Amino acid sequence: MPTKKKPQVSAAAPARRRELLDTAAEVFAEQGYNATTVRKIADHAGMLAGSLYYHFDSKESMLEEILRTFLDELWDGYDTVLGAELGPRETLEALVTESFREIDRHRAAVAIYQKESKQLVAQERFAFLAESQRRFEKAWLSTLERGVAAEVFRADLDVRLTYRFVRDTVWVAASWYRPGGQHSPEEIARQYLSMVLDGIAVRT
């Protein structure tokens, strides 16, 4: 009895999948996750909603892949920085620079994370967001605490308040940053650090 041939996966399929995820990320970021339907994503991608299900089983799976891809890349960069045994100031500079690079790579995903994460963490499939947030806070707080202990940062520095300030002012850039603009992510990080570090470095 003849067997059915397995469908051949086109070499273009991974690239098309990436394009669809990029499109979905933009729609989620602009319209909000709850307001976005599979049909809306398909319309922006120039295809029928049914065709989108060839690549993804639901909008939830699309969102999960978008956020996991962003956070996996973020932590690849952060772990490299944290494992380099840099001084606290150099670590903070490298973390800020890596953050702006991730905004450049995944601007829409960052915007989604900011808007939706508080609601998403209540769902079991998005529990990884809470774990990432705990790691993120620990990395930044420990860097600031090391800086205070080493007398690189001011002794009177409120490290938790500083962490919140740095976190929020860095990641809010996703609301205005556009890839390919006048300034590279590295240049934006340099300008940002020149402002922040003058405020927290030890006065000489």
Side-chain angles (χ1 to χ4, degrees), residues 83-169:
E85 299 183 352
L86 303 172
R89 178 177 176 130
E90 291 75 21
T91 299
L92 187 143
E93 290 173 341
L95 289 174
V96 166
T97 301
E98 194 60 40
S99 298
F100 279 111
R101 286 174 178 155
E102 284 305 309
I103 292 171
D104 180 64
R105 297 186 192 108
H106 298 289
R107 184 201 61 79
V110 174
I112 296 166
Y113 181 88
Q114 289 180 311
K115 295 177 184 177
E116 311 285 357
S117 60
K118 288 183 180 180
Q119 288 73 39
L120 291 173
V121 292
Q123 302 178 38
E124 185 176 351
R125 76 182 300 166
F126 293 104
F128 66 91
L129 297 176
E131 175 59 26
S132 181
Q133 178 57 39
R134 286 190 289 270
R135 291 178 63 195
F136 187 89
E137 182 173 308
K138 181 179 178 181
W140 285 85
L141 286 177
S142 64
T143 299
L144 292 166
E145 289 165 354
R146 281 200 301 126
V148 172
E151 299 184 349
V152 174
F153 302 147
R154 296 194 331 245
D156 65 342
L157 192 70
D158 184 322
V159 293
R160 187 163 291 276
L161 183 61
T162 303
Y163 154 69
R164 289 171 177 167
F165 170 78
V166 172
R167 176 196 65 191
D168 293 348
T169 54

Side-chain angles (χ1 to χ4, degrees), residues 179-196:
Q182 182 178 357
H183 301 293
S184 69
E186 292 79 12
E187 173 61 16
I188 294 173
R190 189 185 69 80
Q191 293 284 350
Y192 175 87
L193 286 163
S194 72
M195 293 182 284
V196 171

Side-chain angles (χ1 to χ4, degrees), residues 6-67:
K6 293 183 179 180
Q8 298 297 310
V9 178
S10 168
R16 180 56 173 161
R17 182 183 180 87
R18 182 70 259 165
E19 289 175 2
L20 293 173
L21 285 173
D22 289 344
T23 298
E26 292 293 340
V27 179
F28 286 141
E30 179 182 344
Q31 301 188 15
Y33 174 67
N34 288 333
T36 298
T37 63
V38 170
R39 182 177 296 278
K40 284 183 180 179
I41 297 170
D43 287 345
H44 279 77
M47 63 195 304
L48 297 174
S51 299
L52 196 60
Y53 285 111
Y54 175 81
H55 301 275
F56 306 97
D57 60 13
S58 65
K59 73 171 188 176
E60 288 83 1
S61 65
M62 297 183 78
L63 181 63
E64 181 180 0
E65 188 166 341
I66 289 165
L67 292 175

